[in-house]
Each structure stands twice: as structure tokens, then as C-alpha cells.
Amino acid sequence: MSLKLINFVLFQLGWMACVWGGAHALPWLGVACTVPILYWHLRQALLPGQEIRLLALAVIIGGLCDQAMLTFNLVSYPESAWPGDLLPAWMLCLWLLFASTLNVSLRWLRGSMPLAAVFGLIGGPLAYLAASRLGAITISPGHVTWLVLAISWACLTPLLLWLAARFDGYVPASHHQQGWSHV
């Protein structure tokens, strides 16, 4: 099985564990599944330190975006032991899982930032819609929330892919030194 396919499947399994756990008062299920997935991801990387930098940036950027949506009451999450005004840990895990795809199964998007923006514009809100249908998130009614989600993801996806090119742990170190990763 190819690395890209394994990466894609692991992302989907991790996504489902996070969302299902969030919806069924098992918020740590996503964390428990994310840890071995990220361990496997980093074990495959030629430069795991680069991937760790990317993961850290993605969870900070994505987490701040989702925290803003929660703070402005555009979304809410089911009650759990986690404080209701803070983004749940499983949502942060989703950002880590998404970042793990950027240099592997979503690498193809780095060739076209406009396509990456469209991918985010559509894919981001669809993921939130799926999570809401599974009961893991409540999305405030109205067009404003969907517009904010779409614009956020249309900006975040190319940004994170740009960062992925700079912190690519899946290419030899010599390529980084020669400027290969500057898209």
C-alpha cells in the first residue's frame, strides 16, 4: 500500500475518532487515536523535525481560527468535562491530523494555490457540516457562519500548504538547502 493511501486512510480514521468521540461524550477518543497516527507519520518522515514544526504551526493557526469561531458563537460543541469556552482537544487533534496530510496525500495541491483555495472553500465547510450531522458541533444558523467558514478555509488551506512546502519532512535535507521547497 502506498504512503499516500495509508496517510489518507489514517487521516479519515483519525477524523472519525475525533468527531465521533466529540459527539458521544468521549472527547479523549480522538486524542488517543491521533497520537499513534502522528507517531506513524513522523516515523515515515525523512526529516521529522520539519514535520513537527509544520504540525505545531498548523495547530496554532487552525486552533486560533476555530477558537475565534467559538468565541464569536458561530459554533458550539457538546458539553463535556472540557470548559465550554475553550476549543476541545479533539478539534486541535483534527488540525494535527490535517497537517499530517499536507506533505503526503495532499501534496498535489501545492502545485496550484488557487486550486488549494477552492479545495478549502468547499472542503472545509463540508467537513464541519459532516461533523454537525454526526452531532460533534453545532453551527449557528444563517449564512454568516458558512461564509466565515468558507473564507477561513479558502485562506488557511493555501497558507498551510505554503508552510508545508517550507517545513517538508518528506524530502531530503539537501533539497531544503537548495531552495527546492520554495513554492
Side-chain angles (χ1 to χ4, degrees):
M1 196 180 311
S2 79
L3 180 64
K4 288 179 185 180
L5 181 59
I6 293 169
N7 176 258
F8 175 77
V9 169
L10 288 177
F11 169 76
Q12 297 301 322
L13 291 172
W15 186 92
M16 186 54 74
C18 288
V19 171
W20 193 87
H24 291 91
L26 299 168
W28 296 104
L29 178 64
V31 176
C33 288
T34 299
V35 170
I37 291 170
L38 292 181
Y39 176 78
W40 182 87
H41 173 74
L42 293 172
R43 295 280 297 166
Q44 305 311 304
L46 296 171
L47 302 166
Q50 290 291 88
E51 286 297 308
I52 290 170
R53 287 178 186 90
L54 174 62
L55 293 171
L57 288 168
V59 77
I60 291 167
I61 293 167
L64 287 172
C65 181
D66 277 338
Q67 180 62 52
M69 293 193 57
L70 176 62
T71 300
F72 291 108
N73 296 314
L74 298 176
V75 298
S76 61
Y77 301 94
E79 287 191 32
S80 68
W82 197 259
D85 56 344
L86 289 178
L87 193 64
W90 62 265
M91 280 296 292
L92 296 173
C93 287
L94 287 175
W95 283 103
L96 291 167
L97 291 165
F98 180 66
S100 77
T101 67
L102 298 173
N103 285 322
V104 186
S105 58
L106 290 182
R107 181 181 208 88
W108 61 274
L109 274 174
R110 288 184 5 192
S112 173
M113 289 302 160
L115 180 59
V118 171
F119 184 87
L121 180 83
I122 297 168
L126 284 177
Y128 285 74
L129 177 61
S132 75
R133 296 269 168 95
L134 292 170
I137 187 172
T138 301
I139 300 169
S140 296
H143 299 297
V144 172
T145 302
W146 293 107
L147 185 62
V148 169
L149 273 170
I151 291 170
S152 296
W153 274 91
C155 295
L156 289 174
T157 303
L159 171 63
L160 292 175
L161 284 162
W162 180 81
L163 289 169
R166 275 133 189 85
F167 299 103
D168 189 344
Y170 281 80
V171 298
S174 60
H175 288 209
H176 282 279
Q177 294 166 356
Q178 296 170 4
W180 179 88
S181 66
H182 296 289
V183 176

